[in-house]
Amino acid sequence: MNAVDVMTRPVYTVEPSTTVRAASAVLVDHGFSALPVVGPGGLLVGVVSGSDLLLANLELGVATTVGQVMTTKVASARLTATPSELASAMLGHRLRCLPVVDARGVVVGVVSRSDLLRVLTPDDDVLAARANRLLTAYSRTRRWDVDVTDGRVVVTGQFADEAERRVVTALVHTVPGVAAIELRRVPAPTGIA
């Protein structure tokens, strides 16, 4: 797996001549943390972050274009970069996202922290987290342990009655990717002697 398999595309970019206001609108509209800044031919020339734009918006009239506030020393990744290389670059430079460029330096995608986490986190862990979230919301406490192996979910804990067992089963079945569900009852704790 390489950057080309992980990156988000199409990529939203701005140019140095883009107004701070227009770039801010793109960030807000799409929920990005930063935008690649491209020059002629789509070549990467900088990055403008939400922080850059926030400062520019607070200093009204001082900076009006992205070119005035962007960072020009930019880390980028090539299409063949591995997830490990991407993570190292992002952590090493304290980046939330990393532009991906082709051999010519043209921006072809962006890799975010969440993109990397998605590929580095096993699917079973994601299923377990989603099932746990649903069950905790249902019971308002953490009453059950959830383990997942190859999409097969095992919910272990105490169940009030058969109706609750059916509710738990139905809730877990709503998680996309669940292949099977098994409920295991543990005995209620007894008093201390």
Side-chain angles (χ1 to χ4, degrees):
M1 181 173 297
N2 296 326
V4 70
D5 304 308
V6 176
M7 69 185 188
T8 299
R9 59 185 156 190
V11 62
Y12 289 86
T13 61
V14 292
E15 297 175 354
S17 61
T18 303
T19 65
V20 165
R21 189 172 179 172
S24 297
V26 173
L27 280 184
V28 170
D29 188 37
H30 297 288
F32 299 145
S33 60
L35 291 169
V37 182
V38 297
L43 294 176
L44 182 65
V45 296
V47 169
V48 65
S49 70
S51 298
D52 298 330
L53 296 172
L54 183 59
L55 284 170
N57 279 311
L58 290 175
E59 299 170 357
L60 295 174
V62 175
T64 58
T65 66
V66 167
Q68 294 172 293
V69 298
M70 70 181 189
T71 300
T72 55
K73 291 185 180 180
V74 182
S76 63
R78 56 191 197 291
L79 288 165
T80 57
T82 65
S84 177
E85 291 169 333
L86 294 168
S88 293
M90 291 176 79
L91 293 171
H93 295 286
R94 295 182 158 185
L95 301 173
R96 291 184 179 176
C97 64
L98 188 65
V100 179
V101 296
D102 65 13
R104 299 169 294 153
V106 174
V107 178
V108 293
V110 173
V111 175
S112 69
R113 289 180 183 176
S114 59
D115 293 331
L116 276 179
L117 283 173
R118 198 173 300 112
V119 299
L120 296 173
T121 304
D123 290 341
D124 286 344
D125 291 352
V126 174
L127 292 178
R130 289 177 179 165
N132 263 321
R133 186 174 61 245
L134 284 172
L135 295 176
T136 300
Y138 162 71
S139 69
R140 298 187 185 192
T141 62
R142 187 171 157 101
R143 294 177 42 198
W144 299 286
D145 290 321
V146 177
D147 292 307
V148 181
T149 305
D150 297 328
R152 301 178 68 77
V153 179
V154 176
V155 179
T156 306
Q158 295 179 21
F159 303 91
D161 53 25
E162 187 56 33
E164 186 169 71
R165 291 174 66 86
R166 286 193 301 269
V167 168
V168 168
T169 300
L171 283 171
V172 174
H173 265 298
T174 66
V175 177
V178 169
I181 301 169
E182 177 184 343
L183 303 182
R184 293 184 185 161
R185 187 177 183 277
V186 295
T190 58
I192 298 175

